[in-house]
Amino acid sequence: AFCIRIFDSPEETEQYKEVIHMETRDLFMYRFKGPLNQYIEFQGHILRTLFRSYNNGIGVNMRQKPVKDMCSVIEAIFGNEKHSAVYSVVHSRSLEGEPGRILLGRIAGKVDCDPVAALDMEPEYVKAILEPLGMLEHPILFITDNQRPEILEKLLADPDIGPNIRLIPEEASWVGGDITLAVMADVFIGNPASSFSGFIAKSRVALGYETTYMFRKKNDDGEWVDVCDERRIFDHKVMKCMA
């Protein structure tokens, strides 16, 4: 499906007339040189293919460990109501403090979004997104790296947000399940400086979701607004190697 072949040994490449060797760093930093729309179309195809072939808890991975079901977190939280559940996901990623602020600041310099709001996830910021959509009446799932517990404490203390905050049970949480929970959410609020948020945002774009909030700032009237299309998460000029 991906037109990729994996070789187990260098000898297997001897059948080819030309082999291009690249260091791991060069592959990581590689940038597509075509138009952004073409890059998004190509990446979107890959992401849709991944989600058509998701792990369902059957079999083992490359380390011979049992695979988990990508939908297990949604199942643990909503059970039999998973197909009709209406919910939002807030992803709080601090990125080790100052490095995170530097990275988000660099992205803000490219698209003019707020340089700290997506890191701090203040109740005002979250409410400005959820209230106009009528989502304060529904569960708000909180995913975090636990580096700044005060963020969750503020959200729980807020009279409008707190009653609907729900945490993922520790025994159910795992990276694949958390990603699926966020990708399938009616609303996703993330941090563009986080590659985890970035993957979720890209997947949502590929699957046709439009309520993804990553790049925001206050306008002259003090209102929170989107500063650009969420598809900028694919833009190498903005995201560099995270695009």
Side-chain angles (χ1 to χ4, degrees), residues 7-40:
F7 297 102
D8 294 319
S9 67
E11 288 74 22
E12 295 181 68
T13 65
E14 294 176 356
Q15 61 185 295
Y16 298 95
K17 293 181 179 179
E18 182 181 4
V19 178
I20 299 173
H21 295 275
M22 296 181 69
E23 296 294 330
T24 303
R25 183 182 185 280
D26 294 329
L27 283 170
F28 181 76
M29 300 297 290
Y30 176 79
R31 297 184 189 181
F32 179 75
K33 297 178 175 61
L36 179 59
N37 285 341
Q38 187 178 350
Y39 179 67
I40 293 173

mmCIF file of all heavy atoms in Angstrom, residues 7-40:
data_model
loop_
_atom_site.group_PDB
_atom_site.id
_atom_site.type_symbol
_atom_site.label_atom_id
_atom_site.label_comp_id
_atom_site.label_asym_id
_atom_site.label_seq_id
_atom_site.Cartn_x
_atom_site.Cartn_y
_atom_site.Cartn_z
ATOM 1 N N PHE A 7 14.541 -3.929 3.501
ATOM 2 C CA PHE A 7 15.575 -4.938 3.303
ATOM 3 C C PHE A 7 16.155 -5.352 4.650
ATOM 4 O O PHE A 7 16.375 -4.517 5.527
ATOM 5 C CB PHE A 7 16.694 -4.393 2.413
ATOM 6 C CG PHE A 7 16.237 -4.045 1.021
ATOM 7 C CD1 PHE A 7 16.006 -2.736 0.662
ATOM 8 C CD2 PHE A 7 16.048 -5.041 0.075
ATOM 9 C CE1 PHE A 7 15.580 -2.413 -0.614
ATOM 10 C CE2 PHE A 7 15.627 -4.727 -1.213
ATOM 11 C CZ PHE A 7 15.391 -3.406 -1.558
ATOM 12 N N ASP A 8 16.433 -6.633 4.787
ATOM 13 C CA ASP A 8 17.018 -7.159 6.015
ATOM 14 C C ASP A 8 18.544 -7.096 6.013
ATOM 15 O O ASP A 8 19.173 -7.129 7.065
ATOM 16 C CB ASP A 8 16.577 -8.607 6.244
ATOM 17 C CG ASP A 8 15.076 -8.713 6.508
ATOM 18 O OD1 ASP A 8 14.554 -7.855 7.236
ATOM 19 O OD2 ASP A 8 14.449 -9.646 5.981
ATOM 20 N N SER A 9 19.152 -6.989 4.830
ATOM 21 C CA SER A 9 20.615 -6.946 4.758
ATOM 22 C C SER A 9 21.054 -6.117 3.552
ATOM 23 O O SER A 9 20.327 -6.032 2.557
ATOM 24 C CB SER A 9 21.192 -8.361 4.641
ATOM 25 O OG SER A 9 20.840 -8.937 3.392
ATOM 26 N N PRO A 10 22.238 -5.494 3.622
ATOM 27 C CA PRO A 10 22.742 -4.687 2.496
ATOM 28 C C PRO A 10 22.881 -5.489 1.207
ATOM 29 O O PRO A 10 22.771 -4.931 0.108
ATOM 30 C CB PRO A 10 24.110 -4.203 3.005
ATOM 31 C CG PRO A 10 24.026 -4.280 4.488
ATOM 32 C CD PRO A 10 23.152 -5.456 4.770
ATOM 33 N N GLU A 11 23.138 -6.786 1.323
ATOM 34 C CA GLU A 11 23.331 -7.615 0.134
ATOM 35 C C GLU A 11 22.100 -7.627 -0.768
ATOM 36 O O GLU A 11 22.210 -7.812 -1.986
ATOM 37 C CB GLU A 11 23.681 -9.047 0.548
ATOM 38 C CG GLU A 11 25.084 -9.224 1.129
ATOM 39 C CD GLU A 11 25.212 -8.665 2.543
ATOM 40 O OE1 GLU A 11 24.157 -8.533 3.221
ATOM 41 O OE2 GLU A 11 26.349 -8.351 2.964
ATOM 42 N N GLU A 12 20.930 -7.443 -0.184
ATOM 43 C CA GLU A 12 19.705 -7.483 -0.974
ATOM 44 C C GLU A 12 19.602 -6.323 -1.954
ATOM 45 O O GLU A 12 18.820 -6.378 -2.903
ATOM 46 C CB GLU A 12 18.487 -7.480 -0.047
ATOM 47 C CG GLU A 12 18.373 -8.728 0.815
ATOM 48 C CD GLU A 12 17.135 -8.686 1.690
ATOM 49 O OE1 GLU A 12 16.020 -8.758 1.140
ATOM 50 O OE2 GLU A 12 17.283 -8.565 2.922
ATOM 51 N N THR A 13 20.384 -5.280 -1.725
ATOM 52 C CA THR A 13 20.313 -4.119 -2.629
ATOM 53 C C THR A 13 21.202 -4.283 -3.856
ATOM 54 O O THR A 13 21.177 -3.448 -4.758
ATOM 55 C CB THR A 13 20.729 -2.836 -1.877
ATOM 56 O OG1 THR A 13 22.108 -2.933 -1.490
ATOM 57 C CG2 THR A 13 19.872 -2.635 -0.635
ATOM 58 N N GLU A 14 21.993 -5.350 -3.906
ATOM 59 C CA GLU A 14 22.942 -5.521 -5.003
ATOM 60 C C GLU A 14 22.266 -5.757 -6.342
ATOM 61 O O GLU A 14 22.876 -5.593 -7.399
ATOM 62 C CB GLU A 14 23.893 -6.681 -4.680
ATOM 63 C CG GLU A 14 24.806 -6.392 -3.485
ATOM 64 C CD GLU A 14 25.676 -7.584 -3.108
ATOM 65 O OE1 GLU A 14 25.491 -8.662 -3.749
ATOM 66 O OE2 GLU A 14 26.501 -7.463 -2.186
ATOM 67 N N GLN A 15 20.998 -6.099 -6.335
ATOM 68 C CA GLN A 15 20.277 -6.349 -7.578
ATOM 69 C C GLN A 15 19.927 -5.054 -8.313
ATOM 70 O O GLN A 15 19.529 -5.092 -9.477
ATOM 71 C CB GLN A 15 18.990 -7.118 -7.285
ATOM 72 C CG GLN A 15 18.029 -6.364 -6.370
ATOM 73 C CD GLN A 15 16.810 -7.173 -5.989
ATOM 74 O OE1 GLN A 15 15.996 -7.514 -6.848
ATOM 75 N NE2 GLN A 15 16.698 -7.509 -4.706
ATOM 76 N N TYR A 16 20.107 -3.911 -7.643
ATOM 77 C CA TYR A 16 19.743 -2.634 -8.244
ATOM 78 C C TYR A 16 20.960 -1.951 -8.853
ATOM 79 O O TYR A 16 22.056 -1.991 -8.296
ATOM 80 C CB TYR A 16 19.096 -1.726 -7.189
ATOM 81 C CG TYR A 16 17.815 -2.308 -6.634
ATOM 82 C CD1 TYR A 16 17.818 -3.043 -5.451
ATOM 83 C CD2 TYR A 16 16.607 -2.142 -7.308
ATOM 84 C CE1 TYR A 16 16.647 -3.595 -4.949
ATOM 85 C CE2 TYR A 16 15.424 -2.687 -6.813
ATOM 86 C CZ TYR A 16 15.453 -3.411 -5.638
ATOM 87 O OH TYR A 16 14.298 -3.962 -5.142
ATOM 88 N N LYS A 17 20.752 -1.302 -10.009
ATOM 89 C CA LYS A 17 21.850 -0.632 -10.699
ATOM 90 C C LYS A 17 22.322 0.599 -9.924
ATOM 91 O O LYS A 17 23.502 0.947 -9.947
ATOM 92 C CB LYS A 17 21.408 -0.215 -12.102
ATOM 93 C CG LYS A 17 21.141 -1.394 -13.033
ATOM 94 C CD LYS A 17 20.730 -0.912 -14.417
ATOM 95 C CE LYS A 17 20.478 -2.085 -15.350
ATOM 96 N NZ LYS A 17 20.054 -1.629 -16.705
ATOM 97 N N GLU A 18 21.397 1.273 -9.267
ATOM 98 C CA GLU A 18 21.757 2.494 -8.529
ATOM 99 C C GLU A 18 21.108 2.463 -7.153
ATOM 100 O O GLU A 18 19.904 2.217 -7.034
ATOM 101 C CB GLU A 18 21.308 3.737 -9.287
ATOM 102 C CG GLU A 18 21.694 5.038 -8.587
ATOM 103 C CD GLU A 18 21.225 6.267 -9.355
ATOM 104 O OE1 GLU A 18 20.536 6.089 -10.382
ATOM 105 O OE2 GLU A 18 21.531 7.391 -8.926
ATOM 106 N N VAL A 19 21.896 2.708 -6.138
ATOM 107 C CA VAL A 19 21.404 2.763 -4.764
ATOM 108 C C VAL A 19 21.834 4.091 -4.159
ATOM 109 O O VAL A 19 23.026 4.410 -4.140
ATOM 110 C CB VAL A 19 21.952 1.597 -3.906
ATOM 111 C CG1 VAL A 19 21.455 1.721 -2.468
ATOM 112 C CG2 VAL A 19 21.532 0.258 -4.497
ATOM 113 N N ILE A 20 20.893 4.868 -3.697
ATOM 114 C CA ILE A 20 21.186 6.159 -3.067
ATOM 115 C C ILE A 20 21.245 5.956 -1.558
ATOM 116 O O ILE A 20 20.275 5.505 -0.938
ATOM 117 C CB ILE A 20 20.109 7.198 -3.426
ATOM 118 C CG1 ILE A 20 20.073 7.414 -4.947
ATOM 119 C CG2 ILE A 20 20.381 8.519 -2.698
ATOM 120 C CD1 ILE A 20 18.919 8.292 -5.392
ATOM 121 N N HIS A 21 22.389 6.262 -0.973
ATOM 122 C CA HIS A 21 22.568 6.107 0.468
ATOM 123 C C HIS A 21 22.356 7.463 1.162
ATOM 124 O O HIS A 21 22.887 8.485 0.712
ATOM 125 C CB HIS A 21 23.975 5.584 0.783
ATOM 126 C CG HIS A 21 24.217 4.198 0.271
ATOM 127 N ND1 HIS A 21 23.859 3.070 0.982
ATOM 128 C CD2 HIS A 21 24.765 3.753 -0.887
ATOM 129 C CE1 HIS A 21 24.176 1.984 0.295
ATOM 130 N NE2 HIS A 21 24.729 2.374 -0.851
ATOM 131 N N MET A 22 21.592 7.447 2.244
ATOM 132 C CA MET A 22 21.349 8.665 3.022
ATOM 133 C C MET A 22 21.513 8.361 4.503
ATOM 134 O O MET A 22 21.118 7.282 4.965
ATOM 135 C CB MET A 22 19.947 9.224 2.763
ATOM 136 C CG MET A 22 19.713 9.691 1.337
ATOM 137 S SD MET A 22 18.047 10.363 1.088
ATOM 138 C CE MET A 22 18.152 11.882 2.045
ATOM 139 N N GLU A 23 22.095 9.285 5.222
ATOM 140 C CA GLU A 23 22.214 9.140 6.673
ATOM 141 C C GLU A 23 20.842 9.339 7.315
ATOM 142 O O GLU A 23 19.957 9.987 6.746
ATOM 143 C CB GLU A 23 23.196 10.175 7.235
ATOM 144 C CG GLU A 23 24.626 10.003 6.736
ATOM 145 C CD GLU A 23 25.257 8.717 7.230
ATOM 146 O OE1 GLU A 23 24.875 8.263 8.343
ATOM 147 O OE2 GLU A 23 26.108 8.161 6.507
ATOM 148 N N THR A 24 20.676 8.764 8.493
ATOM 149 C CA THR A 24 19.396 8.868 9.189
ATOM 150 C C THR A 24 18.982 10.317 9.386
ATOM 151 O O THR A 24 17.814 10.686 9.196
ATOM 152 C CB THR A 24 19.482 8.159 10.558
ATOM 153 O OG1 THR A 24 19.859 6.800 10.362
ATOM 154 C CG2 THR A 24 18.140 8.208 11.273
ATOM 155 N N ARG A 25 19.940 11.169 9.750
ATOM 156 C CA ARG A 25 19.619 12.587 9.975
ATOM 157 C C ARG A 25 19.107 13.239 8.701
ATOM 158 O O ARG A 25 18.167 14.042 8.723
ATOM 159 C CB ARG A 25 20.859 13.333 10.491
ATOM 160 C CG ARG A 25 20.580 14.802 10.815
ATOM 161 C CD ARG A 25 21.837 15.521 11.285
ATOM 162 N NE ARG A 25 21.538 16.885 11.692
ATOM 163 C CZ ARG A 25 21.377 17.904 10.842
ATOM 164 N NH1 ARG A 25 21.474 17.695 9.538
ATOM 165 N NH2 ARG A 25 21.108 19.117 11.293
ATOM 166 N N ASP A 26 19.718 12.899 7.556
ATOM 167 C CA ASP A 26 19.294 13.489 6.285
ATOM 168 C C ASP A 26 17.885 13.037 5.922
ATOM 169 O O ASP A 26 17.084 13.816 5.384
ATOM 170 C CB ASP A 26 20.268 13.096 5.174
ATOM 171 C CG ASP A 26 21.656 13.691 5.390
ATOM 172 O OD1 ASP A 26 21.729 14.785 5.973
ATOM 173 O OD2 ASP A 26 22.643 13.056 4.987
ATOM 174 N N LEU A 27 17.577 11.787 6.212
ATOM 175 C CA LEU A 27 16.216 11.303 5.958
ATOM 176 C C LEU A 27 15.211 12.021 6.849
ATOM 177 O O LEU A 27 14.121 12.399 6.410
ATOM 178 C CB LEU A 27 16.147 9.792 6.207
ATOM 179 C CG LEU A 27 16.743 8.892 5.122
ATOM 180 C CD1 LEU A 27 16.814 7.455 5.627
ATOM 181 C CD2 LEU A 27 15.924 8.958 3.849
ATOM 182 N N PHE A 28 15.582 12.232 8.111
ATOM 183 C CA PHE A 28 14.693 12.903 9.056
ATOM 184 C C PHE A 28 14.434 14.349 8.634
ATOM 185 O O PHE A 28 13.321 14.869 8.771
ATOM 186 C CB PHE A 28 15.304 12.864 10.459
ATOM 187 C CG PHE A 28 14.438 13.504 11.511
ATOM 188 C CD1 PHE A 28 13.319 12.847 12.002
ATOM 189 C CD2 PHE A 28 14.742 14.760 12.013
ATOM 190 C CE1 PHE A 28 12.519 13.434 12.962
ATOM 191 C CE2 PHE A 28 13.939 15.356 12.974
ATOM 192 C CZ PHE A 28 12.834 14.690 13.453
ATOM 193 N N MET A 29 15.470 15.003 8.118
ATOM 194 C CA MET A 29 15.369 16.414 7.758
ATOM 195 C C MET A 29 14.895 16.624 6.315
ATOM 196 O O MET A 29 14.740 17.755 5.876
ATOM 197 C CB MET A 29 16.742 17.087 7.933
ATOM 198 C CG MET A 29 17.304 17.027 9.346
ATOM 199 S SD MET A 29 16.291 17.908 10.564
ATOM 200 C CE MET A 29 16.586 19.609 10.055
ATOM 201 N N TYR A 30 14.640 15.542 5.582
ATOM 202 C CA TYR A 30 14.268 15.657 4.173
ATOM 203 C C TYR A 30 12.981 16.466 4.014
ATOM 204 O O TYR A 30 12.027 16.304 4.769
ATOM 205 C CB TYR A 30 14.078 14.272 3.552
ATOM 206 C CG TYR A 30 13.604 14.326 2.123
ATOM 207 C CD1 TYR A 30 14.487 14.582 1.082
ATOM 208 C CD2 TYR A 30 12.258 14.138 1.809
ATOM 209 C CE1 TYR A 30 14.055 14.644 -0.231
ATOM 210 C CE2 TYR A 30 11.808 14.193 0.504
ATOM 211 C CZ TYR A 30 12.717 14.448 -0.511
ATOM 212 O OH TYR A 30 12.269 14.514 -1.816
ATOM 213 N N ARG A 31 12.944 17.328 3.018
ATOM 214 C CA ARG A 31 11.768 18.141 2.751
ATOM 215 C C ARG A 31 11.289 17.922 1.319
ATOM 216 O O ARG A 31 12.085 17.945 0.386
ATOM 217 C CB ARG A 31 12.070 19.634 2.940
ATOM 218 C CG ARG A 31 12.458 20.010 4.349
ATOM 219 C CD ARG A 31 12.639 21.507 4.463
ATOM 220 N NE ARG A 31 13.202 21.901 5.740
ATOM 221 C CZ ARG A 31 13.431 23.162 6.088
ATOM 222 N NH1 ARG A 31 13.165 24.139 5.241
ATOM 223 N NH2 ARG A 31 13.951 23.444 7.271
ATOM 224 N N PHE A 32 10.002 17.720 1.171
ATOM 225 C CA PHE A 32 9.396 17.605 -0.140
ATOM 226 C C PHE A 32 9.496 18.954 -0.845
ATOM 227 O O PHE A 32 9.221 19.993 -0.261
ATOM 228 C CB PHE A 32 7.933 17.184 0.034
ATOM 229 C CG PHE A 32 7.182 17.051 -1.263
ATOM 230 C CD1 PHE A 32 7.393 15.957 -2.083
ATOM 231 C CD2 PHE A 32 6.262 18.009 -1.654
ATOM 232 C CE1 PHE A 32 6.692 15.817 -3.272
ATOM 233 C CE2 PHE A 32 5.562 17.880 -2.831
ATOM 234 C CZ PHE A 32 5.783 16.781 -3.646
ATOM 235 N N LYS A 33 9.881 18.948 -2.082
ATOM 236 C CA LYS A 33 10.152 20.207 -2.781
ATOM 237 C C LYS A 33 9.009 20.653 -3.698
ATOM 238 O O LYS A 33 9.118 21.669 -4.375
ATOM 239 C CB LYS A 33 11.456 20.080 -3.581
ATOM 240 C CG LYS A 33 12.684 19.852 -2.708
ATOM 241 C CD LYS A 33 13.938 19.695 -3.535
ATOM 242 C CE LYS A 33 15.182 19.594 -2.639
ATOM 243 N NZ LYS A 33 15.130 18.426 -1.751
ATOM 244 N N GLY A 34 7.928 19.888 -3.747
ATOM 245 C CA GLY A 34 6.798 20.251 -4.594
ATOM 246 C C GLY A 34 5.843 21.205 -3.893
ATOM 247 O O GLY A 34 6.086 21.651 -2.769
ATOM 248 N N PRO A 35 4.711 21.529 -4.548
ATOM 249 C CA PRO A 35 3.710 22.434 -3.963
ATOM 250 C C PRO A 35 3.108 21.851 -2.686
ATOM 251 O O PRO A 35 3.005 20.619 -2.535
ATOM 252 C CB PRO A 35 2.650 22.538 -5.065
ATOM 253 C CG PRO A 35 3.323 22.091 -6.322
ATOM 254 C CD PRO A 35 4.349 21.083 -5.903
ATOM 255 N N LEU A 36 2.689 22.719 -1.771
ATOM 256 C CA LEU A 36 2.119 22.285 -0.499
ATOM 257 C C LEU A 36 0.882 21.417 -0.708
ATOM 258 O O LEU A 36 0.723 20.388 -0.035
ATOM 259 C CB LEU A 36 1.763 23.499 0.367
ATOM 260 C CG LEU A 36 1.124 23.204 1.731
ATOM 261 C CD1 LEU A 36 2.030 22.349 2.591
ATOM 262 C CD2 LEU A 36 0.759 24.510 2.443
ATOM 263 N N ASN A 37 -0.001 21.794 -1.623
ATOM 264 C CA ASN A 37 -1.218 21.010 -1.854
ATOM 265 C C ASN A 37 -0.888 19.586 -2.292
ATOM 266 O O ASN A 37 -1.557 18.633 -1.889
ATOM 267 C CB ASN A 37 -2.096 21.685 -2.914
ATOM 268 C CG ASN A 37 -2.814 22.906 -2.373
ATOM 269 O OD1 ASN A 37 -2.946 23.073 -1.163
ATOM 270 N ND2 ASN A 37 -3.278 23.767 -3.258
ATOM 271 N N GLN A 38 0.152 19.438 -3.103
ATOM 272 C CA GLN A 38 0.556 18.107 -3.552
ATOM 273 C C GLN A 38 1.114 17.288 -2.389
ATOM 274 O O GLN A 38 0.847 16.089 -2.266
ATOM 275 C CB GLN A 38 1.599 18.235 -4.664
ATOM 276 C CG GLN A 38 1.972 16.917 -5.320
ATOM 277 C CD GLN A 38 2.970 17.103 -6.455
ATOM 278 O OE1 GLN A 38 3.247 18.222 -6.876
ATOM 279 N NE2 GLN A 38 3.512 16.006 -6.946
ATOM 280 N N TYR A 39 1.880 17.950 -1.523
ATOM 281 C CA TYR A 39 2.437 17.276 -0.343
ATOM 282 C C TYR A 39 1.320 16.816 0.590
ATOM 283 O O TYR A 39 1.335 15.690 1.093
ATOM 284 C CB TYR A 39 3.384 18.226 0.382
ATOM 285 C CG TYR A 39 3.996 17.650 1.637
ATOM 286 C CD1 TYR A 39 4.891 16.593 1.570
ATOM 287 C CD2 TYR A 39 3.681 18.173 2.889
ATOM 288 C CE1 TYR A 39 5.463 16.058 2.720
ATOM 289 C CE2 TYR A 39 4.246 17.661 4.042
ATOM 290 C CZ TYR A 39 5.133 16.606 3.953
ATOM 291 O OH TYR A 39 5.692 16.083 5.092
ATOM 292 N N ILE A 40 0.316 17.688 0.810
ATOM 293 C CA ILE A 40 -0.800 17.342 1.679
ATOM 294 C C ILE A 40 -1.591 16.171 1.092
ATOM 295 O O ILE A 40 -2.000 15.256 1.813
ATOM 296 C CB ILE A 40 -1.722 18.566 1.889
ATOM 297 C CG1 ILE A 40 -0.986 19.649 2.682
ATOM 298 C CG2 ILE A 40 -3.006 18.158 2.617
ATOM 299 C CD1 ILE A 40 -1.748 20.948 2.797
#
